[in-house]
């Protein structure tokens, strides 16, 4: 496969996942604001930090407000990671690799693009926001469904999956980090009812509440939530699950091309690290410090994958 084809597939699915994750973060911000006192505008600073778009926002705005933050994350053309820009970039990459996609996948991504452009053609009010975010999640799910249902399990599929799970792991790590390190107003809040509600909100933001209750029942505790989102290999948005899938798909590429590359060793090392620790050890080390190490390893893996498979060519 040409490097530019691998690049297009990888980034198409990264941008698609990024759009959905941004929508989930906006929903999380809304729920978390309900647990805090005040007008709620300040609650959007950590949400934008999680999405990695706070710097650009402050360069364009003098102050933080809920309406401006949501619009920046949803539809601003000046924010390259907004939902609108991410879906647009996903479709542009899909056009570049059109012959590598099935007809069903192309129709799904094209339909997603057209629907998102229609829904985000104007600034959304409070009443329209929830159905718009739900529609976006459904549209991205259709692309994933078409991918799983119609694509050959070859190198094309592997690059799609690697892009998806790198982006998803990065998002889950950032959501955990903003909860533990940025969101709480003081150490005294740890273990309080507000703390517990916010942890439950984090579960909901990654569609993990149902799965968590199947495993743990109604006993919701922060350490168990952290363990579920970091270490549980059954949970499709946990760090361990995502990194395991990246490792598996890189392994399939190694078999197809007959070569192991440096990116494989980086991901193998991260997977071994995730499987070696228990949640008590992670919390004792410091969740923020642990997540920083995971994010650094994910960034290194992403850069090395692009080098190994010659995405620049």
């Amino acid at each position: 496969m040409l490097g530019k084809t691998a690049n297009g597939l990888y980034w198409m699915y990264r941008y698609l996942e990024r759009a959905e994750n941004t929508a989930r973060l906006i929903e999380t911000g809304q729920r978390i604001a309900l647990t805090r006192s005040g007008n709620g505008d300040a609650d959007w600073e950590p949400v934008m930090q999680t999405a990695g778009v706070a710097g650009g926002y402050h360069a364009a705005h003098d102050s933080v407000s809920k309406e401006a933050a949501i619009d920046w994350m949803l539809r601003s053309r000046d924010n390259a990671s907004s939902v609108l820009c991410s879906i647009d970039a996903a479709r542009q990459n899909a056009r570049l690799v059109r012959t590598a996609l099935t007809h069903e996948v192309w129709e799904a991504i094209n339909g997603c693009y057209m629907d998102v452009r229609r829904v985000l053609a104007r600034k959304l009010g409070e009443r329209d926001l929830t159905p718009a975010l739900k529609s976006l999640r459904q549209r991205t799910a259709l692309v994933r469904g078409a991918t799983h249902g119609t694509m050959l399990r070859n190198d094309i599929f592997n690059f799609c999956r690697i892009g998806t799970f790198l982006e998803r792991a990065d998002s889950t790590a950032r959501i955990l980090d903003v909860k533990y390190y940025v969101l709480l107003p003081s150490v005294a809040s740890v273990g309080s009812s507000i703390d517990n509600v916010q942890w439950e909100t984090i579960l909901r933001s990654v569609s993990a509440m149902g799965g968590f209750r199947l495993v743990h029942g109604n006993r919701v505790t922060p350490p168990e939530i952290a363990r579920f989102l970091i270490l549980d290999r059954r949970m499709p948005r946990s760090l361990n699950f995502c990194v395991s899938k990246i490792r598996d798909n890189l392994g399939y590429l190694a078999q197809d091309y007959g070569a192991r590359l440096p990116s494989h060793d980086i991901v193998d090392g991260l997977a071994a690290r995730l499987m070696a620790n228990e949640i008590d050890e992670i919390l004792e080390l410091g969740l923020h410090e642990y997540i920083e190490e995971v994010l650094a390893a994910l960034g290194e893996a992403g850069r090395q994958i692009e080098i190994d498979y010659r995405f620049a060519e």
Side-chain angles (χ1 to χ4, degrees):
M1 180 186 294
L2 293 175
K4 64 181 180 181
T5 303
N7 177 74
L9 293 164
Y10 171 86
W11 280 107
M12 170 189 166
Y13 281 84
R14 283 205 74 160
Y15 281 123
L16 191 69
E17 187 72 23
R18 186 173 300 176
E20 180 176 342
N21 291 337
T22 299
R24 289 176 179 276
L25 280 173
I26 292 170
E27 288 184 317
T28 302
Q30 286 190 299
R31 289 194 178 106
I32 286 175
L34 297 176
T35 71
R36 306 285 290 272
S37 59
N39 62 16
D41 287 345
D43 294 318
W44 290 91
E45 177 69 28
V47 175
M48 289 192 291
Q49 287 183 24
T50 304
V53 299
Y57 176 90
H58 289 299
H61 299 82
D62 295 329
S63 61
V64 175
S65 70
K66 174 183 176 179
E67 291 75 16
I70 290 175
D71 195 62
W72 178 258
M73 296 175 71
L74 265 184
R75 56 188 295 277
S76 175
R77 289 290 185 182
D78 295 325
N79 172 18
S81 293
S82 70
V83 169
L84 188 60
C85 287
S86 294
I87 293 295
D88 183 56
R91 182 176 179 270
Q92 288 298 327
N93 278 282
R95 290 181 63 188
L96 293 174
V97 296
R98 175 67 184 86
T99 57
L101 303 174
T102 62
H103 178 69
E104 289 82 0
V105 173
W106 169 251
E107 281 195 330
I109 187 64
N110 203 43
C112 177
Y113 167 78
M114 291 188 292
D115 190 57
V116 168
R117 285 200 65 179
R118 176 184 60 80
V119 170
L120 300 183
R122 58 181 178 81
K123 185 179 291 188
L124 296 180
E126 190 77 25
R127 179 180 300 177
D128 298 324
L129 183 60
T130 298
L133 296 174
K134 180 179 179 181
S135 175
L136 171 67
R137 293 199 313 273
Q138 291 173 336
R139 279 295 188 175
T140 56
L142 282 174
V143 181
R144 284 199 304 274
T147 302
H148 282 275
T150 67
M151 297 278 283
L152 286 175
R153 271 35 176 186
N154 56 6
D155 53 353
I156 291 172
F157 184 79
N158 289 323
F159 282 114
C160 296
R161 296 275 282 177
I162 290 167
T164 295
F165 285 109
L166 265 172
E167 190 69 31
R168 186 176 294 180
D170 182 88
S171 175
T172 297
R174 291 179 183 278
I175 287 173
L176 280 166
D177 192 40
V178 77
K179 167 64 187 78
Y180 205 79
Y181 189 70
V182 179
L183 189 60
L184 285 175
S186 69
V187 175
S189 297
V190 175
S192 67
S193 58
I194 289 178
D195 184 33
N196 292 333
V197 168
Q198 289 172 350
W199 274 108
E200 289 187 33
T201 297
I202 296 304
L203 273 179
R204 295 182 189 279
S205 74
V206 293
S207 297
M209 179 59 83
F212 182 88
R213 283 181 171 164
L214 281 173
V215 176
H216 298 284
N218 292 323
R219 185 172 175 271
V220 180
T221 65
E224 285 302 323
I225 293 173
R227 191 201 65 77
F228 193 63
L229 296 184
I230 295 171
L231 301 178
D232 198 312
R233 294 186 65 185
R234 300 165 297 178
M235 170 26 194
R237 291 185 176 272
S238 77
L239 295 180
N240 203 358
F241 183 96
C242 292
V243 172
S244 295
K245 293 303 178 185
I246 297 167
R247 182 192 59 192
D248 291 346
N249 287 106
L250 283 173
Y252 299 145
L253 288 175
Q255 294 174 19
D256 290 342
Y257 298 150
R260 276 186 62 87
L261 300 169
S263 57
H264 300 187
D265 295 329
I266 294 171
V267 173
D268 282 354
L270 178 55
R273 173 79 187 278
L274 285 166
M275 289 186 289
N277 294 111
E278 294 296 334
I279 193 60
D280 291 341
E281 297 172 314
I282 292 171
L283 295 177
E284 184 176 350
L285 169 68
L287 184 56
H288 172 64
E289 291 74 15
Y290 182 84
I291 292 299
E292 277 195 325
E293 291 182 14
V294 171
L295 285 169
L298 288 169
E300 183 185 6
R303 290 187 295 272
Q304 192 61 51
I305 287 168
E306 295 188 26
I307 293 170
D308 289 348
Y309 292 100
R310 302 177 182 178
F311 281 10
E313 293 186 2

